[in-house]
Amino acid sequence: EYVWMTPRVKEAVAAAKEASRRAEEAKYRTWTSADGKFTIRAKFVSSELEGVKLQRHDNREIITIDWGQLSADDQEFIRQQL
């Protein structure tokens, strides 16, 4: 922290950081497998020829999942993002 910041500025910076954290967190959702047996908390990164790229919430790893492995609702979500 910067010692020159007034309490009001420190409060504003903290509020901005919290808003940014919440906005980033809101990008993550629960994805479900087509058979409903598996779920993962991740955010949509892109749709590629080899599949859908998601970023895992737990370790931020980028993974690729085949379209057919995702639930119909998740596939529709992706279509809306494109």
Side-chain angles (χ1 to χ4, degrees):
E1 299 246 3
Y2 299 99
V3 290
W4 56 266
M5 285 192 205
T6 66
R8 186 177 225 170
V9 171
K10 286 180 182 179
E11 192 175 296
V13 168
K17 286 181 180 179
E18 178 62 16
S20 177
R21 185 195 66 77
R22 285 184 184 170
E24 182 63 21
E25 186 67 27
K27 295 177 184 177
Y28 289 88
R29 59 190 298 275
T30 300
W31 299 80
T32 305
S33 63
D35 62 9
K37 292 182 180 180
F38 301 99
T39 61
I40 186 170
R41 184 132 173 89
K43 74 177 176 179
F44 175 72
V45 175
S46 65
S47 178
E48 310 286 336
L49 289 175
E50 65 271 12
V52 178
K53 292 194 181 286
L54 303 176
Q55 184 178 34
R56 293 174 57 123
H57 183 265
D58 58 356
N59 63 10
R60 304 299 195 249
E61 177 186 359
I62 303 289
I63 59 173
T64 303
I65 300 175
D66 291 336
W67 269 86
Q69 292 179 317
L70 293 172
S71 70
D73 287 345
D74 289 338
Q75 290 179 26
E76 180 58 30
F77 174 85
I78 294 166
R79 282 188 204 92
Q80 292 173 4
Q81 304 307 302
L82 302 177

